Amino acid sequence: MDAIIIETIIKAIIVLSVIAALAGFGTFIERKVLAFMQRRLGPMHVGPFGLLQLAADGIKLFTKEDIIPQHANRLIFMIAPIITAATAFIALAAVPLLPEFTLFGYTVHPIVADLNVGILFILGAMASGLYGPLLAGMAQANKWGIIGSARTAILFMSYEVVTGLSLLAPIMLVGSLSLIDFNNAQSGGIGEWMVWQQPLAFILFLIAGFAETNRTPFDLLEHEAEVVSGYATEYSGMRWGMFFIGEYANMITIGFMASLIFFGGFNDLGFIPGFLAIILKVSFFFFLMLWVRASWPHVRPDQLMWLCWKVLMPIALLNVLITGLVMMV
Amino acid sequence: MEQIAFYIFSVLTIGLFLVTVLSSNVLYAMTSLAAGMVIISGLFFLVGADFLGVVQLVVYVGAIMALYSFGMMFFDATKDIKEKNTNSYLVFALGGMIAVMFVVIFSAPVIGENIQATYFVTGATNPQAVGLILFTKYLIPFEVAAIMLLVAMIAGIILAGKKMDDSLTTRDENHEEDTTFGLKDEK
Amino acid sequence: MGLEKFKDRNVGIQQYKVVEHEAFPKSNAQKFARVMKRMVKGELFVGLWVTLRTMYQALFQDDMHTVKYPFEKLPISPRYRAIHEMLRLLESGHYRCIGCGLCEKICISDCIKIDTKYDENQRKEVTEYTINFGRCIFCGYCAEVCPELAIVHGGRYETSSQQRASFSIFEDMLTPIDALSSQKEYPGFGAVSPNADDNIKKTPLAY
């Protein structure tokens, strides 16, 4: 009993520190990739290839003054960024990050909490992540913040439906809600990947994932051209930084989910060992998010709702229905 | 261990819901209600009902509370609300009566059957057990609830959709230019 | 070159491409057809391909457009009017200025101060010559009026300063005597730029 608790605590600390560092590193990668796609160099001067820009930004964020507006609700204003960051990491608790490996004769399962309802737990934790932007916007007594949080509520509630329905069809095929079962169901190489059976579900999940992580075609929450910075208008320093750590951690989570559910997870891929395979897959999805941000314009809020309720949700329902019929026959 | 966790969770839940009731600030009430919902899902996890806990998280925290807060957005959330108590004795009496009524309603079956898990499902995981019970023993209540939700949805659409024909955002059909770019879908 | 080429003033259709766009769909069926067409046609992937190609070109084909400014500088036009330079005579190395004072007279912002005296050969000698760059508006009149091409505009354009008045004296602006061989003749700020022929375009007037 005690061993499990200690092991879980150690795993939680490792996941927290590694993913937080990776989330910070993600901002650097994003700036670099976007710069290359616009024929720029990106950050270059702090350290080799600008690698230490990350540390410089961190120091800047930590030492910045933590401004709380005069008419804001102090308590809620202060806890809102923590909700975003915390739920992002709580969601990661149910994700199997790497294949099992043996360290000093002790078999390590790189998953913090092996729930048998892992997928639902991740969705639920990410759904409660909406309270971060929502409360932040409502507490700061700023009209841009209010608009940003209204958009948060609408966007998250709508696209959760699509995420859930799109994942329902693969769940029906595998017959489990555990991500490890999903991974084991696709252990037979590329031919058994879920994406070949459920291409539509994958596309829907990807679109909804972009919306849930607040990435570009759908990043209306803090759309600079319309609402100054949305829910983050009044934030500064580390509280502002926490929103972004949460956002990037969510991007990593969505990358892991897409890899595990649709792309064979951490099974060995030919000559590539499993742990490398999943890192490559997640890196690809992370790159895809940056790539899309460099390429495509935003949608309008009404187009966003149109896309969700009139296009994606009916398609997702049809997909579930057809999958069910095929399974019955 | 589990008892300690149970007491912590119950005290937290009651405390947070008390804040919800007693606070005159919309933002505090909303936040504590949402946090209470999260902690209730913690109670479910504690007794091993993972599926119900997660559903509590997804449905109550993710959807219903978000809808509430969306409604709250039309108020100035940073200000306190001035309550108008015309007759505090009447409110007290009515509230107390309702509370007593609820206690009687919920405790009657408990006392009657001495709360026993009547329908045991063995050899099935958590979601499967819920599904089995839901679609065998409790099929009729389940379907009735579904029909009620459907009725509510249709009513909502009718109430909200009365004025959908004259939209505020898109232009008149007759004056629509032929060369409009973009994704106009609604009239 | 014949005259008719210049008489063809209709610039609107020469190099411009008219973008065709389809009519706005009226009925629901048309709208649905458009949505389906856009979905299948893969217009979004064209955008993705463009950015990926740009990234490839920037990284591997040396098509990076960033100029790391303090370390790299783009060449400026010879007609650019930056900080003044005083030129020397190429044969003797003596400074060209004859102390006529025209630049001081014509300066519209009163920033040039010149003082002269007769030397032993009864030639004018410049004893004091300063330009206040805090006042100078770089209009170029001094260089234009100079009969000897002695004061010209050079290429030093990074002129930020911590003080409002920033004086420059004659010796600072004068070409160093050991750099005399590399002194370039200034074509004057009204001169045509070296690539002027390439830049000539027709005036887009319809009449």
Side-chain angles (χ1 to χ4, degrees), chain A residues 37 39-41 291 295-296, chain C residues 44 48 51 63-66:
Chain A
M37 286 183 170
R39 298 185 184 138
R40 294 185 287 113
L41 283 170
W291 188 9
S295 308
W296 295 350
Chain C
L44 289 172
L48 282 181
T51 43
D63 193 19
M64 203 66 94
H65 285 203
T66 305

Side-chain angles (χ1 to χ4, degrees), chain A residues 32-33 35-42 44-45 287-288 291-297 306 311 315, chain C residues 35 39 43-45 47-52 54-59 63-68 71:
Chain A
K32 272 295 197 196
V33 168
F36 292 152
M37 286 183 170
Q38 296 157 355
R39 298 185 184 138
R40 294 185 287 113
L41 283 170
M44 279 299 280
H45 294 296
F287 176 74
L288 185 68
W291 188 9
V292 165
R293 178 168 179 190
S295 308
W296 295 350
W306 171 84
V311 180
I315 294 178
Chain C
V35 168
M39 222 157 78
E43 285 168 335
L44 289 172
F45 294 97
L48 282 181
W49 166 243
V50 167
T51 43
L52 194 69
T54 308
M55 185 171 167
Y56 176 76
Q57 284 168 353
L59 282 178
D63 193 19
M64 203 66 94
H65 285 203
T66 305
V67 177
K68 290 188 245 173
F71 312 113

Side-chain angles (χ1 to χ4, degrees), chain B residues 2-24:
Chain B
E2 276 160 6
Q3 275 186 345
I4 297 169
F6 174 78
Y7 283 120
I8 291 173
F9 277 151
S10 357
V11 168
L12 273 177
T13 312
I14 293 169
L16 283 165
F17 284 164
L18 269 179
V19 172
T20 308
V21 177
L22 297 178
S23 168
S24 61

Side-chain angles (χ1 to χ4, degrees), chain A residues 179-214:
Chain A
L179 280 170
I180 292 179
D181 288 349
F182 264 92
N183 177 66
N184 295 338
Q186 305 171 62
S187 56
I190 293 182
E192 280 196 6
W193 283 6
M194 190 56 82
V195 68
W196 310 128
Q197 293 179 52
Q198 292 285 345
L200 204 55
F202 168 65
I203 293 168
L204 292 171
F205 175 74
L206 205 61
I207 293 173
F210 272 74
E212 291 224 359
T213 49
N214 180 17

Side-chain angles (χ1 to χ4, degrees), chain C residues 134-147:
Chain C
R135 289 185 68 101
C136 183
I137 59 167
F138 300 98
C139 60
Y141 282 1
C142 50
E144 194 177 12
V145 80
C146 183

Side-chain angles (χ1 to χ4, degrees), chain A residues 216-228:
Chain A
T216 278
F218 312 113
D219 71 340
L220 299 163
L221 282 62
E222 33 167 336
H223 194 184
E224 292 87 358
E226 292 170 6
V227 285
V228 178

Side-chain angles (χ1 to χ4, degrees), chain C residues 106-122:
Chain C
I106 204 166
C107 182
I108 51 170
S109 53
D110 266 353
C111 64
I112 298 179
K113 182 180 190 304
I114 180 166
D115 212 355
T116 55
K117 69 168 189 191
Y118 286 107
D119 66 357
E120 63 271 17
N121 298 327
Q122 289 298 304

